[in-house]
Amino acid sequence: MKRDLTSLVGLNSKEIDRLFRVTARLKRERKEGREGRYLTGKILGMIFRKSSTRTRISFEAGMIQLGGSSLFLDVGKLQMDRGESVSDTARVLSSYIDGLAIRTYDQSEVEELSRHATIPIINALTDQYHPCQILTAMFTLWEKRGRVSGLKVAYIGDGNNVAQSWLLGAAIMGIDLTVATPAGYEPESSVVRSARGIATISGAKIELMQDPVQAVAGADVLYTDTWISMGQDDESDIRRAAFQGYRIDSDLLEHANREALVMHCLPAHRGEEITSEVMDGPQSAIWDEAENRLHVQKSLLIWLMGDDGIYSAL
Ligand code: CP
Ligand code: NVA
């Protein structure tokens, strides 16, 4: 049966651990110049309704490195934008390509593609979720700390797509997550409820609060993202005012554990949600996380699109 990555819901910790182990192997093979062409002849289609540097380029590069190729499908030139239905598009594309990554606004578009396509559908970011990012954030922690379960992560800022994927990822993997947002910018309550439901299995603690200083006390990781996500440019001024005090700077970092790591999905707005001093400082794992998008997504692509047995043989 085909698998999709529409969100992290439905993934379990064993599957994610396996994804991490394959990722580590692919990364090592690449560094040693002996990487396998595990997706020879496969084609990944990509639809991006929003801008991207990391996601798009790492998927494209990853496909080439694995011996396959990718097709960037310009939405403005697809019949979809002239009214062809998502279901008909899904059906037709399924007969040409082997997988489809989509970055869009509504999560429902990704879910609809997934229902109608017979090929794997990958969520490359929606207003609600960014699963590839959080798989990568957790892999980066796994690589640096040797485990993820039991770590304490403090997410500071907007309760957006990245925060919401963190809620699910932490709940699955047994990470204690505290999300500190200003009032009115909390993650959706339905996502918090799902995360808390999943957390009953892993034992993860999921907390929401408003005080960033309290949130980072005892934290092993501080995470943030832009205050103004794609599609929210009209709210820039209001948001900038609301998020003052939710910046990761060296003062806030002082309140976390001594060797706490700082992470950010990028793109960053230096001086807004994070200072340059912290981004470029010794505790920053931001650049490793950015690089790891490539390795994690390659592992994901092999899992979802590889011929039978290839992924389990790795
Ligand atoms: N972090 C991330 O998804 O970056 P892009 O928007 O550049 O893809
Ligand atoms: N929350 C940000 C993430 C960008 C990768 C956005 O949606 O714009």
Side-chain angles (χ1 to χ4, degrees):
M1 201 185 72
K2 71 137 178 166
R3 291 288 301 259
D4 300 304
L5 183 74
T6 57
S7 78
L8 296 178
V9 173
L11 260 67
N12 62 44
S13 59
K14 266 205 177 121
E15 287 170 329
I16 295 178
D17 266 331
R18 170 138 197 82
L19 186 86
F20 290 172
R21 284 200 303 276
V22 174
T23 302
R25 171 169 170 173
L26 294 171
K27 184 171 179 178
R28 198 170 51 244
E29 284 185 1
R30 174 152 183 81
K31 303 269 176 204
E32 291 169 0
R34 53 180 185 88
E35 82 189 304
R37 300 282 181 263
Y38 302 111
L39 291 181
T40 299
K42 301 283 181 184
I43 301 172
L44 176 73
M46 299 196 300
I47 295 177
F48 277 67
R49 295 193 187 277
K50 296 177 176 177
S51 309
S52 172
T53 296
R54 280 144 288 271
T55 311
R56 179 167 77 83
I57 318 288
S58 54
F59 269 123
E60 286 191 7
M63 282 304 293
I64 295 168
Q65 290 165 13
L66 291 169
S69 48
S70 65
L71 293 177
F72 185 71
L73 309 173
D74 180 348
V75 252
K77 303 239 161 45
L78 292 177
Q79 297 287 10
M80 242 176 147
D81 260 24
R82 291 185 55 251
E84 185 168 18
S85 70
V86 171
S87 53
D88 289 352
T89 306
R91 192 167 168 178
V92 173
L93 290 182
S94 295
S95 60
Y96 302 153
I97 58 181
D98 304 288
L100 180 68
I102 174 160
R103 169 168 288 195
T104 188
Y105 294 87
D106 283 337
Q107 178 68 16
S108 62
E109 188 176 6
V110 180
E111 310 281 351
E112 200 179 345
L113 277 169
S114 141
R115 275 196 307 279
H116 295 281
T118 54
I119 53 172
I121 301 297
I122 299 172
N123 179 343
L125 179 149
T126 60
D127 289 348
Q128 201 172 12
Y129 295 123
H130 197 358
C132 297
Q133 188 71 52
I134 297 313
L135 288 173
T136 307
M138 295 193 300
F139 170 75
T140 306
L141 293 174
W142 181 86
E143 200 181 30
K144 288 195 171 294
R145 294 291 184 252
R147 68 190 167 105
V148 292
S149 167
L151 291 179
K152 290 186 190 314
V153 175
Y155 179 100
I156 309 297
D158 190 16
N160 60 16
N161 42 11
V162 171
Q164 297 194 150
S165 278
W166 250 127
L167 283 164
L168 298 174
I172 296 167
M173 298 307 283
I175 296 171
D176 291 340
L177 176 71
T178 304
V179 178
T181 67
Y185 293 94
E186 296 87 358
E188 290 167 27
S189 50
S190 58
V191 180
V192 177
R193 259 198 315 279
S194 311
R196 289 199 168 128
I198 298 168
T200 56
I201 302 167
S202 69
K205 265 202 284 182
I206 306 287
E207 273 192 279
L208 302 194
M209 58 178 68
Q210 287 174 14
D211 183 352
V213 174
Q214 193 190 339
V216 306
D220 303 303
V221 182
L222 271 57
Y223 203 101
T224 192
D225 180 19
T226 181
W227 297 336
I228 304 150
S229 284
M230 290 180 277
Q232 299 174 334
D233 292 327
D234 294 353
E235 302 168 31
S236 300
D237 293 345
I238 296 179
R239 285 179 161 271
R240 266 193 204 98
F243 285 99
Q244 291 306 319
Y246 289 81
R247 172 176 301 117
I248 298 187
D249 57 16
S250 45
D251 287 344
L252 189 63
L253 191 50
E254 285 276 300
H255 293 274
N257 282 350
R258 211 154 51 87
E259 305 213 323
L261 294 170
V262 177
M263 304 179 87
H264 189 306
C265 58
L266 301 176
H269 301 76
R270 289 171 178 259
E272 289 194 4
E273 73 277 5
I274 190 165
T275 59
S276 283
E277 191 189 358
V278 172
M279 273 189 83
D280 302 323
Q283 286 166 266
S284 170
I286 293 171
W287 312 106
D288 297 296
E289 181 181 0
E291 177 190 330
N292 284 336
R293 293 293 302 277
L294 173 74
H295 308 297
V296 170
Q297 287 164 199
K298 283 164 74 177
S299 177
L300 181 70
L301 289 166
I302 299 171
W303 179 29
L304 301 180
M305 287 167 53
D307 287 334
D308 283 352
I310 286 202
Y311 184 71
S312 43
L314 284 174

